[in-house]
């Protein structure tokens, strides 16, 4: 009795959540949610869902445009503001953005493991098909080449006359019967081979390998670059750097665009994957087309008590023909042991018996390979990897990209609000404080104030040098050391224009 596998792949809640998203066309009419890439209505509904993050991105960019225009026209930008709350806000949201991007790294790793599992399962399915194909070809070769060759040789040996004509007739009839059974066995094997000969599963693992060869490292690189942008922002906050904040505002805007593009991609993959996982058989039947018999595909996809093994009939007929040939060979062996004791006849009969035993074992092994349990187990493993690991990993990357897009939006807004209030440090020019054409410096002012104070206290006279005597000034490096004192205590005589004005009034 054949025991069928009752294990079925599980459909996660994540797949069910994405499957219930509205599938509508451009006129907002509901569309069948069954996964079908050849249906234009389904592709149109899927495209509308993918376009939703694109519309959000356009609105975000328009909001940024209005914000920057308003900032350019804001007259309060020259006022000094406290930047500590803005810096803390930037630091917190930058760390949250790094956390969201780290979730994307986790989802990418889980998706990678799921892709590897799906690749391994499909490779095992292809190995089973190739094993069955090789077994049928081997049996067909033994029956057509080896056994028929031995039968032809026996026919030549039995042409020699013997004393018992009845025995000779029996041998000729036995050879004809064995040839007939061998031909029937070959036909049954060809029928089995025709059912699976056009099955080519090798393209599936090859495609998965090529896609994952680029997807996994590229995703890691993009997420690491976005995390590096967040570190640039944190370094700019620590250094109070206007340049770093401006640089982040530029690359952050590109990051927002990239994040929402990834959201559109992951959303489409999640919705399409959930539709496939909820009902994969219609798509598989359509993809199989005429390359594989419908009964064979149903047998391997369902593998329960209600399905009929399409290979049972050919396997039984092949086994029956081999048994008939073996039973007939036993009769031939008994007759030839009496009338054809030659060594050559005995060797041919032994070789024929060995080939029949090998064929019988090969047919039994092929029957085990054709059983649905092994193939259905690998099918479930591939579906589990697709509908659990890959779906969950893609969902994590979707949440990561959406969260990072929102966090980058907030970071750009706050960073632009912060760096515009950070003033550039003015360059300190070298000033010669002893230049007589510059106003007095703070040192000179303090010196003059001290001299006035000491003079008023009587420590030294204000006009201690007679007018007829030229005062003596000590010089240092060609400059008068009492120049500041003279500027504070000696006023220049009135100008000639002022004397004329006074005379005119009087």
């Amino acid at each position: 009795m054949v025991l069928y596998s009752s294990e079925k792949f599980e459909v996660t809640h994540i797949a069910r959540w994405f499957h219930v998203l509205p599938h509508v066309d451009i006129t907002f009419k509901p569309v069948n949610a069954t996964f079908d890439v050849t249906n234009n209505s389904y592709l149109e509904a899927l495209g509308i869902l993918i376009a939703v993050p694109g519309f959000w991105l356009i609105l975000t960019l328009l909001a940024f445009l209005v914000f920057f225009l308003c900032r350019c026209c804001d007259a309060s930008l020259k006022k000094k503001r406290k930047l500590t709350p803005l810096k803390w806000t930037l630091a917190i949201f930058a760390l949250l953005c790094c956390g969201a991007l780290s979730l994307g790294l986790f989802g990418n790793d889980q998706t990678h493991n799921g892709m590897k599992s799906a690749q391994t399962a499909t490779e095992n399915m292809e190995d089973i098909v190739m094993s069955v194909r090789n077994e049928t070809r081997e049996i067909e070769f033994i029956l057509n080449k080896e056994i028929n060759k031995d039968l032809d040789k026996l026919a030549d040996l039995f042409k020699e006359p013997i004393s018992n004509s009845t025995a000779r007739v029996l041998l000729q009839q036995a050879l004809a019967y064995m040839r007939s059974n061998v031909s029937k066995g070959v036909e049954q094997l060809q029928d089995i081979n025709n059912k699976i000969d056009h099955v080519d599963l090798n393209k599936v693992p090859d495609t998965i390998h090529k896609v994952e060869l680029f997807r996994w490292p590229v995703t890691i690189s993009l997420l690491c670059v976005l995390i590096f942008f967040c570190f640039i922002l944190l370094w700019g906050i620590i250094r109070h750097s206007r340049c770093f904040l401006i640089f982040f505002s530029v690359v952050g805007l590109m990051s927002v665009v990239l994040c929402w593009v990834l959201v559109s991609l992951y959303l489409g993959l999640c919705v399409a994957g959930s539709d496939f996982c909820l009902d994969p058989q219609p798509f598989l039947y359509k993809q199989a087309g005429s390359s594989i018999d419908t009964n064979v595909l149903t047998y391997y996809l369902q593998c329960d008590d209600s399905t009929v093994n399409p290979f049972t009939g050919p396997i039984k007929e092949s086994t029956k023909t081999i048994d008939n040939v073996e039973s007939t060979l036993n009769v031939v062996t008994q007759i030839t042991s009496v009338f054809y004791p030659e060594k050559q006849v005995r060797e041919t009969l032994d070789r024929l018996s060995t080939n029949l035993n090998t064929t019988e074992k090969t047919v039994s092994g092929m029957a085990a390979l054709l059983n649905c349990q092994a193939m259905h187990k690998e099918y479930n493993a591939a579906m589990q990897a697709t509908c659990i690991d890959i779906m969950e990993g893609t969902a994590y990357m979707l949440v990561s990209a959406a969260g990072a897009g929102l966090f980058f939006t907030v970071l750009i807004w706050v960073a632009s609000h912060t760096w515009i209030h950070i003033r550039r440090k003015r360059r300190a020019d070298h000033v010669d404080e002893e230049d007589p054409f510059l106003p007095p410096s703070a040192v000179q002012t303090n010196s003059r104030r001290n001299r006035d104070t000491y003079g008023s206290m009587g420590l030294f006279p204000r006009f201690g040098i007679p007018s007829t005597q030229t005062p003596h000034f000590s010089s240092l490096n060609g400059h008068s050391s009492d120049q500041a004192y003279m500027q504070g205590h000696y006023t220049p005589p009135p100008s000639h224009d002022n004397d004329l004005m006074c005379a005119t009034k009087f």
Side-chain angles (χ1 to χ4, degrees):
M1 180 179 179
V2 179
L3 299 177
Y4 295 98
S5 175
S6 59
E7 296 181 359
K8 299 292 182 182
F9 65 90
E10 299 178 358
V11 179
T12 61
H13 295 289
I14 295 177
R16 298 183 187 276
W17 292 340
F18 284 107
H19 182 69
V20 298
L21 290 178
H23 294 64
V24 295
D25 56 10
I26 196 66
T27 60
F28 294 99
K29 293 182 180 180
V31 176
N32 187 10
T34 302
F35 181 77
D36 186 6
V37 293
T38 61
N39 189 349
N40 293 329
S41 298
Y42 177 79
L43 293 178
E44 182 179 344
L46 195 62
I48 291 175
L49 290 174
I50 293 175
V52 172
F55 287 125
W56 177 263
L57 174 61
I58 293 174
L59 293 177
T60 302
L61 295 179
L62 290 176
F64 276 137
L65 178 61
V66 174
F67 170 74
F68 288 128
L69 289 176
C70 293
R71 296 299 293 172
C72 291
C73 301
D74 193 357
S76 62
L77 296 179
K78 297 181 179 180
K79 298 180 180 180
K80 292 185 178 180
R81 301 197 177 203
K82 293 183 178 180
L83 300 181
T84 302
L86 296 177
K87 288 183 177 181
W88 276 107
T89 303
L90 285 174
I92 293 173
F93 276 94
L95 294 176
L96 291 176
C97 188
C98 290
L101 295 172
S102 300
L103 178 63
L105 291 174
F106 172 76
N108 181 58
D109 185 68
Q110 185 168 355
T111 303
H112 179 66
N113 294 332
M115 295 285 277
K116 290 174 61 178
S117 300
Q119 178 183 350
T120 302
T122 51
E123 286 177 349
N124 293 337
M125 294 170 66
E126 176 64 17
D127 291 341
I128 294 174
V129 174
M130 289 298 298
S131 298
V132 174
R133 190 179 289 119
N134 293 334
E135 294 288 344
T136 55
R137 290 175 179 175
E138 181 182 355
I139 296 173
E140 186 177 356
F141 174 79
I142 293 175
L143 292 177
N144 275 331
K145 301 296 182 180
E146 300 295 332
I147 294 180
N148 280 331
K149 181 180 178 181
D150 293 335
L151 293 176
D152 292 339
K153 191 172 184 179
L154 287 175
D156 294 336
L157 294 174
F158 293 158
K159 288 181 181 179
E160 297 180 2
I162 56 176
S163 59
N164 191 338
S165 59
T166 303
R168 183 178 181 183
V169 171
L170 290 175
L171 289 175
Q172 291 177 353
Q173 291 178 351
L175 290 177
Y177 183 72
M178 285 191 291
R179 288 181 185 276
S180 176
N181 281 276
V182 169
S183 298
K184 290 181 180 179
V186 172
E187 290 178 358
Q188 297 301 323
L189 292 174
Q190 289 177 348
D191 184 25
I192 294 174
N193 198 19
N194 291 333
K195 292 179 183 298
I196 63 172
D197 189 52
H198 299 287
V199 178
D200 185 13
L201 299 177
N202 196 33
K203 295 180 180 179
V204 178
D206 287 345
T207 303
I208 294 175
H209 175 71
K210 292 178 182 179
V211 170
E212 197 62 14
L213 188 64
F214 294 97
R215 188 206 65 82
W216 185 60
V218 168
T219 303
I220 291 180
S221 300
L222 290 177
L223 294 176
C224 290
V225 168
L226 296 179
I227 293 176
F228 178 70
F229 290 161
C230 295
F231 286 153
I232 289 178
L233 176 61
L234 292 174
W235 184 250
I237 296 171
I238 295 173
R239 296 296 302 272
H240 194 73
S241 175
R242 179 188 179 97
C243 295
F244 278 108
L245 295 180
I246 293 175
F247 176 76
F248 174 79
S249 299
V250 176
V251 297
L253 190 61
M254 294 187 295
S255 301
V256 169
V257 176
L258 177 61
C259 287
W260 289 111
V261 170
L262 292 177
V263 169
S264 297
L265 175 62
Y266 294 145
L267 179 61
L269 292 176
C270 287
V271 174
S274 63
D275 296 338
F276 172 75
C277 292
L278 264 295
D279 192 12
Q281 293 189 7
F283 174 74
L284 295 178
Y285 278 111
K286 183 172 290 189
Q287 290 296 313
S290 59
S291 62
I292 184 173
D293 187 75
T294 305
N295 295 328
V296 175
L297 185 60
T298 303
Y299 173 66
Y300 286 119
L301 291 181
Q302 296 182 2
C303 193
D304 52 19
D305 295 333
S306 62
T307 57
V308 179
N309 188 349
F311 302 103
T312 302
I315 291 296
K316 286 184 177 180
E317 290 296 328
S318 299
T319 305
K320 182 179 179 181
T321 57
I322 294 173
D323 292 338
N324 292 335
V325 173
E326 286 182 343
S327 61
T328 305
L329 182 62
N330 292 330
V331 176
V332 172
T333 302
Q334 293 177 0
I335 296 174
T336 55
S337 62
V338 177
F339 299 98
Y340 295 95
E342 292 85 358
K343 180 179 180 181
Q344 189 175 6
V345 174
R346 176 62 57 185
E347 291 177 352
T348 304
L349 292 175
D350 292 340
R351 187 168 57 251
L352 182 59
S353 178
T354 302
N355 289 331
L356 288 174
N357 292 331
T358 303
T359 304
E360 186 176 9
K361 293 179 181 179
T362 306
V363 170
S364 300
M366 187 179 63
L369 288 175
L370 289 172
N371 191 276
C372 66
Q373 290 184 355
M375 183 71 75
H376 190 70
K377 180 181 179 181
E378 299 300 333
Y379 167 72
N380 281 333
M383 293 301 297
Q384 289 277 6
T386 302
C387 299
I388 295 180
D389 294 335
I390 297 178
M391 276 295 301
E392 290 182 353
T394 307
Y396 289 148
M397 290 189 290
L398 171 62
V399 175
S400 171
L406 294 175
F407 288 138
F408 271 116
T409 302
V410 176
L411 288 174
I412 294 172
W413 176 65
V414 180
S416 301
H417 197 78
T418 303
W419 67 258
I420 204 167
H421 291 288
I422 298 178
R423 303 303 180 189
R424 294 181 179 176
K425 296 181 179 180
R426 295 183 177 179
R427 195 170 48 181
D429 297 331
H430 178 71
V431 179
D432 187 3
E433 295 183 355
E434 298 179 356
D435 192 345
F437 297 99
L438 293 178
S441 64
V443 177
Q444 294 171 345
T445 304
N446 292 334
S447 175
R448 183 177 59 190
R449 186 180 298 112
N450 293 334
R451 292 175 182 270
D452 293 340
T453 303
Y454 295 155
S456 61
M457 295 174 62
L459 297 177
F460 52 83
R462 180 178 296 271
F463 303 103
I465 303 175
S467 59
T468 58
Q469 184 180 0
T470 303
H472 173 72
F473 301 99
S474 62
S475 60
L476 180 63
N477 296 330
H479 294 282
S480 174
S481 61
D482 293 337
Q483 182 177 358
Y485 177 80
M486 293 178 62
Q487 290 179 354
H489 295 275
Y490 294 95
T491 59
S495 63
H496 179 67
D497 294 335
N498 292 336
D499 295 340
L500 291 177
M501 291 177 64
C502 293
T504 304
K505 289 181 180 180
F506 290 100

